[in-house]
Amino acid sequence: MLEWRRRREPSPAMLYASPLIAVVLTMLIGMIVFTAMGYDGFHAVRDIFLTPFLEPQRWADLGVKAAPLVIIALGLAIGFRANVWNIGAEGQYIMGAIAGTGVALATYDMTGWWILPAMALAGILGGMAWAAIPAFLRVKLQVSEILTSLMLTYVAVQGLYYLVRGPWKDPDGFNFPQTRMFTTDQTLPVMMEGSLVHLGIPVAVIIALVAWLLMEKTTAGYAVKVVGLAPAAARHGGFSADRVTWATLLASGGLAGLAGLFEAAGPFGQLTPQFPTGYGFTAIIVAFLGRLNPLGIVFGGIVLAATYVGGEIAQTTVRLPQAATGMFQALLLFVLLATDVLVRYRIGWKVRAA
Amino acid sequence: MTQPPDQTVRPRLALSHISKSFPGVKANEDISLSVRPGEIHALLGENGAGKSTLVKIIYGVQQADEGSIAWNGETVAIPSPKAARRLGIGMVFQHFSLFDAMTVIENIALGLDEAVDRDELKARVAAILDSYSLPLDPEREVHTLSVGERQRIEIVRCLLQKPKLLIMDEPTSVLTPQEVDKLFLTLRQIASEGCAILYISHKLHEIKALCEAATILRGGKVVATCDPKIETTKRMAELMIGAELRQIVHGDSSGAGAVRLSVSGLTLAGEPPFGTDLEGVSFEARAGEILGIAGVAGNGQSELLTALSGERPATKADAITLDGKPIGTMSAGPRRALGLACVPEERNGHAAVPDFSLADNSILTARHRLPLTPLGIISTGDVKNFADSVIKRFDVRTTGTAALARSLSGGNLQKFIMGREIGQQPGVLVVCQPTWGVDAGAAAAIRQELVDLAAKGSAVVVISQDLDELLELADRLCVINEGRLSAPRAVAELGIDEIGLMMGGVHGESGHGASGHGASDLGEPAHA
Ligand SMILES: Nc1ncnc2c1ncn2[C@@H]1O[C@H](COP(=O)(O)OP(=O)(O)OP(=O)(O)O)[C@@H](O)[C@H]1O
Ligand SMILES: [Mg+2]
């Protein structure tokens, strides 16, 4: 009979193999489920997971979708390593976009190279400010950041709706609920002619490298890991858990805010009620798929980006509903958590005790 | 009371040619031994010799790579602790797995393999407590109990399963002499009823008092078997380490140097929910001296250590001064930078991060005094060199600086941690249980390092339950009792039984007669 056996030590091989196993299992389960529902399951899965990689004209789109996911997930992963569970990146992402848009609207009749950096800075600060609230509540009042950060997301969404329908509504916009379009000085430079590939993509890769160096080679990264692994040892070594809570929440909020601003000043070019696309939530899956490792997160970001790009393809080719994308993402997280059992346990044959 | 075991009886447990490897080490190699019903059999060996690994194999926690286990003459497989318990094997681990906020009886119920009716369980526990005359109140909450009482819970848990073999891994390292005496009475009674006992300890005079056979391991192999009743403790220690024992050399320091650490009227609420409050603790430690603080565990030792280390700062800056500088409100980092190093009792998760390598673990507390992280960047080479030097100087048995802390045997991790702190040449070193679980040879080496550190002008404070150790090391001694510290007295004025009674009296467990401990772990026992 098959049985689970506890491994003496977590398996390093499985630590990296389980995300890959999870992706493959998700494809198999998806295929079965959609076939059972009367769709062409094989083609659906192929279009969602493979076509985005096989057709070069999709690569730009893949990068555009992956960049915000990677930037947000990098910040979240640093916090997760310290047991700081920021679930509200979506809210910080929206606040970053709002703050950056505030700068854009204030400067819409100006020109200058400094405008975009000012917007980016405002985006970072906006995200940080939104993350500072859960940080304060956790450090001062021991309130769980999981709840507060999540609830603040809905506050941010309502704030966005209010602004685009009220004070920030484009005066020349035929009463549509949206802000002015950003000017060229307020828009991310396009890296490739005729595509949406913007500056955010190389920036995401640079941030991943910096995050990796920070975690592996600095006392700051060390502090994050010790606080997460052994809080008492951290205190003994003179590391302050409160400071790490503050730092990781501000970092993840700031990065989410930056990603929000990049999205507003890139693909959107303005703020609209459609702006919250759930990247802040999907980035949680990216962080875990990437094993909370900055370089793994780049991989995880590309896989999740594929589900967005491929989901759109499958909508036209096999008429899959749009909700299928979300289903695949949720399924992936579910299967990933399940396959994680393999890191600590292995499957073996049951031997009867004599 | 212990009859020589009947040689004709079939062994209860017989191991033949057991081997077990971990990456880079052979923890057990071709080990054979047998234990007869009613026999108390000692397992001796240096730190990392493979004792814990061997008993974990017997208890089903780990699986042997080679070899076989015979139980009452029949070959058996023991794939899990549950299977071991079904056979009648019980084990008391050094670290108890008890829930502090629950009562004794609730903890016992949680540890059982099958559900037992509560009233029936109560009756069975009462019967066991009565027939072994174990003092333990089943309705008390665990956090109100002394370490010895907690251990009794684990023993009762085992006895409920009517064990035929009882394994005890270093059961006495945290007990007072009085508690040790009581434990031995219980163990002898259990053995007299036919249960075999496998007993691991580094305290050789205990082995002599309790055991009738001993198997000595070195480097994973059996190097000798002997009768501890006949062999001297010195001889057994030398069999273990395969060399002559070092005798501790005290310098002729008079201990009259300048005051380096001074604590005055330190009052600090214990950490909720079960901490002990420190109340008006005052003492001074001078350059060149070793100050001993004796006491039964749970009387404020860990609170005192975290108050000194800066993990829980005091409210007044001048409650603690280091070389005349008030440091009471500083946190741990700045205190270390000024030269105050501390070693807490708990190695895993407090003094060291189990999932970090030894190299990474040296960053934890050495980065303030050594240039390991200039400008916040970890200097990998310097870190590795420092960790390497600690491993060499303190003879830490490991596969290298990349080994995870939790892969080390208990004693070897302790050696590494002690080495990490002593290697920084601190002005003041405060250590809790410095040789806890460390073998006789390594314990002598660590004590020698402490003596040498003091001789170089540092002040050393040793908080320990091991009176033999304190008497061997300390110039002056005080006792901590429910968060209060007694006035220090010169060690020369004190007898061991006097201190033992002061310590043991706290929990209403006054000793009965002499505790019968030699003046040193390595010396001959005082009683026959
Ligand atoms: N899980 C593990 N992974 C890798 N190595 C291990 C593991 N457990 C034990 N070892 C190694 O096996 C050897 C024997 O360890 P063991 O814990 O049995 O020693 P011990 O005799 O109980 O020592 P001590 O007296 O210090 O407790 C040591 O070298 C140790 O580092
Ligand atoms: Mg051991």
Side-chain angles (χ1 to χ4, degrees):
Chain A
M1 198 176 39
L2 283 175
E3 66 166 1
W4 292 104
R5 294 224 194 102
R6 204 182 163 82
R7 292 178 194 269
R8 189 173 44 73
E9 280 189 353
S11 154
M14 270 302 157
L15 197 63
Y16 296 103
S18 84
L20 296 172
I21 296 175
V23 171
V24 172
L25 276 179
T26 304
M27 291 166 68
L28 283 175
I29 297 174
M31 214 180 287
I32 294 167
V33 169
F34 280 101
T35 307
M37 287 172 67
Y39 293 96
D40 182 345
F42 174 77
H43 280 107
V45 167
R46 188 198 59 187
D47 282 348
I48 289 184
F49 285 95
L50 297 179
T51 311
F53 296 104
L54 297 180
E55 295 179 359
Q57 74 270 25
R58 311 273 182 192
W59 292 354
D61 209 10
L62 219 47
V64 171
K65 295 278 195 305
L69 289 174
V70 168
I71 294 176
I72 301 171
L74 286 169
L76 292 181
I78 293 176
F80 292 169
R81 297 282 294 260
N83 276 337
V84 174
W85 302 99
N86 179 4
I87 304 298
E90 180 77 1
Q92 295 137 24
Y93 168 84
I94 294 169
M95 285 314 280
I98 288 178
T101 302
V103 172
L105 294 180
T107 59
Y108 85 97
D109 50 0
M110 299 180 207
T111 53
W113 61 267
W114 54 271
I115 294 178
L116 196 59
M119 285 166 62
L121 186 66
I124 293 173
L125 291 176
M128 278 185 174
W130 214 235
I133 302 170
F136 176 84
L137 291 172
R138 160 141 170 196
V139 168
K140 292 291 173 216
L141 303 171
Q142 280 81 49
V143 181
S144 164
E145 73 284 5
I146 299 179
L147 295 176
T148 51
S149 64
L150 181 62
M151 291 191 294
L152 281 167
T153 298
Y154 302 104
V155 179
V157 170
Q158 296 305 322
L160 172 79
Y161 289 169
Y162 166 72
L163 288 172
V164 296
R165 297 196 166 107
W168 285 4
K169 191 160 65 179
D170 183 357
D172 315 319
F174 307 104
N175 220 17
F176 277 111
Q178 58 191 31
T179 66
R180 287 177 194 281
M181 290 298 293
F182 295 172
T183 64
T184 26
D185 277 356
Q186 295 171 338
T187 313
L188 284 185
V190 167
M191 310 293 293
M192 243 196 291
E193 276 313 314
S195 78
L196 284 173
V197 176
H198 57 72
L199 189 65
I201 296 170
V203 169
V205 175
I206 292 169
I207 295 176
L209 289 173
V210 171
W212 182 79
L213 284 174
L214 191 80
M215 289 305 288
E216 298 304 317
K217 302 284 172 207
T218 69
T219 346
Y222 185 92
V224 167
K225 289 187 278 189
V226 186
V227 165
L229 284 174
R235 257 201 313 182
H236 180 63
F239 295 103
S240 154
D242 286 351
R243 218 181 289 166
V244 166
T245 302
W246 269 109
T248 54
L249 271 167
L250 290 182
S252 55
L255 286 175
L258 182 67
L261 180 276
F262 279 175
E263 199 65 8
F268 276 82
Q270 68 183 148
L271 272 194
T272 77
Q274 283 75 46
F275 182 77
T277 40
Y279 282 157
F281 294 117
T282 310
I284 298 172
I285 308 177
V286 172
F288 281 110
L289 195 61
R291 288 274 145 226
L292 307 185
N293 174 322
L295 304 183
I297 283 171
V298 174
F299 156 81
I302 293 171
V303 171
L304 266 297
T307 63
Y308 281 112
V309 176
E312 279 167 23
I313 301 172
Q315 274 176 49
T316 49
T317 53
V318 284
R319 311 196 149 277
L320 224 51
Q322 196 195 349
T325 307
M327 197 220 84
F328 269 105
Q329 293 174 352
L331 188 61
L332 183 58
L333 179 63
F334 182 79
V335 176
L336 180 69
L337 295 177
T339 52
D340 262 4
V341 173
L342 292 170
V343 178
R344 294 196 163 272
Y345 291 83
R346 65 195 168 84
I347 304 173
W349 286 103
K350 195 174 187 118
V351 198
R352 282 253 148 249
Chain B
M1 106 182 49
T2 42
Q3 298 292 322
D6 183 351
Q7 300 297 326
T8 59
V9 174
R10 194 170 55 180
R12 170 76 26 98
L13 173 81
L15 305 179
S16 39
H17 311 292
I18 295 282
S19 295
K20 170 82 182 171
S21 298
F22 293 115
V25 261
K26 278 212 149 172
N28 288 162
E29 197 175 346
D30 195 24
I31 294 184
S32 300
L33 69 84
S34 63
V35 190
R36 273 176 295 277
E39 173 182 326
I40 307 185
H41 191 113
L43 209 48
L44 300 178
E46 289 179 283
N47 295 127
K51 307 177 295 293
S52 296
T53 305
L54 188 65
V55 293
K56 280 182 193 159
I57 289 172
I58 300 172
Y59 194 55
V61 179
Q62 278 166 350
Q63 306 300 314
D65 300 335
E66 281 165 51
S68 63
I69 305 177
W71 180 252
N72 292 327
E74 281 175 46
T75 304
V76 290
I78 308 179
S80 69
K82 205 168 168 179
R85 286 193 292 269
R86 263 201 306 267
L87 288 175
I89 301 175
M91 179 155 169
V92 176
F93 289 90
Q94 185 165 9
H95 293 275
F96 313 140
S97 39
L98 299 172
F99 295 95
D100 275 354
M102 300 176 97
T103 64
V104 172
I105 192 91
E106 286 166 344
N107 267 287
I108 291 174
L110 279 175
L112 293 179
D113 285 331
E114 71 277 5
V116 177
D117 174 70
R118 199 176 161 109
D119 288 328
E120 190 201 323
L121 182 65
K122 262 187 194 163
R124 279 169 61 189
V125 168
I128 286 172
L129 292 176
D130 187 54
S131 67
Y132 292 93
S133 34
L134 289 169
L136 185 65
D137 177 357
E139 301 302 334
R140 283 260 298 271
E141 287 190 2
V142 168
H143 66 92
T144 64
L145 302 179
S146 71
V147 188
E149 289 170 307
R150 289 174 200 218
Q151 188 179 56
R152 274 173 220 147
I153 304 178
E154 297 276 4
I155 294 175
V156 170
R157 251 186 200 170
C158 290
L159 291 179
L160 272 174
Q161 328 255 359
K162 304 202 174 59
K164 308 206 170 48
L165 171 70
L166 186 61
I167 302 170
M168 309 211 63
D169 194 349
E170 299 191 37
T172 58
S173 48
V174 289
L175 300 186
T176 60
Q178 286 81 10
E179 286 174 326
V180 170
D181 287 344
K182 275 202 189 126
L183 173 68
F184 283 10
L185 286 177
T186 311
L187 291 182
R188 287 196 188 102
Q189 188 184 343
I190 293 171
S192 72
E193 291 161 3
C195 179
I197 297 180
L198 206 47
Y199 186 89
I200 299 179
S201 174
H202 290 293
K203 300 187 180 174
L204 297 172
H205 56 256
E206 291 181 355
I207 302 279
K208 235 178 128 51
L210 185 70
C211 304
E212 56 230 63
T215 299
I216 299 176
L217 304 183
R218 194 192 317 143
K221 286 186 227 158
V222 176
V223 289
T225 53
C226 69
D227 183 346
K229 299 261 183 257
I230 301 169
E231 224 64 66
T232 65
T233 51
K234 185 158 185 294
R235 174 83 190 119
M236 286 193 283
E238 287 173 355
L239 280 172
M240 269 166 53
I241 62 178
E244 290 260 322
L245 259 188
R246 277 164 53 181
Q247 222 37 65
I248 290 188
V249 194
H250 281 272
D252 45 12
S253 73
S254 55
V259 173
R260 300 212 66 169
L261 177 71
S262 151
V263 176
S264 61
L266 175 66
T267 297
L268 196 63
E271 201 158 359
F274 308 129
T276 308
D277 300 341
L278 294 178
E279 284 168 45
V281 169
S282 303
F283 68 87
E284 280 177 352
R286 294 168 178 276
E289 82 162 344
I290 298 182
L291 174 72
I293 298 182
V296 176
N299 273 290
Q301 287 94 331
S302 49
E303 286 81 0
L304 178 59
L305 190 111
T306 50
L308 292 175
S309 73
E311 286 160 71
R312 304 186 63 223
T315 42
K316 281 186 304 185
D318 57 2
I320 306 170
T321 63
L322 181 67
D323 295 324
K325 215 175 285 167
I327 60 163
T329 51
M330 283 184 188
S331 64
R335 288 189 197 195
R336 270 181 206 284
L338 288 174
L340 172 58
C342 294
V343 181
E345 162 182 348
E346 180 62 49
R347 310 181 259 249
N348 277 313
H350 193 182
V353 184
D355 289 316
F356 273 2
S357 67
L358 293 182
D360 280 349
N361 266 298
S362 46
I363 298 173
L364 186 68
T365 64
R367 68 184 198 288
H368 300 105
R369 290 180 67 70
L370 302 175
L372 302 180
T373 56
L375 303 171
I377 310 284
I378 294 169
S379 166
T380 318
D382 292 329
V383 169
K384 198 169 168 308
N385 286 342
F386 175 67
D388 238 350
S389 71
V390 170
I391 289 172
K392 293 225 171 64
R393 177 167 160 197
F394 285 81
D395 188 25
V396 179
R397 310 284 166 84
T398 170
T399 48
T401 56
L404 295 189
R406 67 194 169 91
S407 76
L408 267 65
S409 80
N412 275 304
L413 183 55
Q414 180 72 352
K415 286 196 273 181
F416 180 81
I417 292 164
M418 289 299 300
R420 179 182 70 187
E421 305 304 325
I422 293 175
Q424 302 175 43
Q425 289 290 335
V428 176
L429 177 64
V430 182
V431 287
C432 210
Q433 309 285 6
T435 61
W436 193 53
V438 172
D439 68 58
I446 287 179
R447 289 177 190 149
Q448 185 65 56
E449 292 277 358
L450 291 174
V451 168
D452 293 348
L453 185 70
K456 281 188 214 139
S458 298
V460 177
V461 179
V462 179
I463 305 173
S464 176
Q465 296 199 70
D466 184 342
L467 288 178
D468 299 337
E469 170 165 273
L470 288 174
L471 292 178
E472 188 180 0
L473 280 177
D475 302 301
R476 293 185 303 146
L477 197 61
C478 34
V479 173
I480 188 164
N481 247 350
E482 292 181 345
R484 292 193 182 83
L485 196 67
S486 73
R489 289 171 64 180
V491 164
E493 295 172 13
L494 281 169
I496 186 163
D497 293 332
E498 196 180 342
I499 312 166
L501 289 175
M502 283 161 74
M503 288 166 59
V506 183
H507 285 279
E509 296 190 41
S510 59
H512 40 90
S515 63
H517 280 250
S520 137
D521 246 355
L522 313 172
E524 292 301 314
H527 62 140

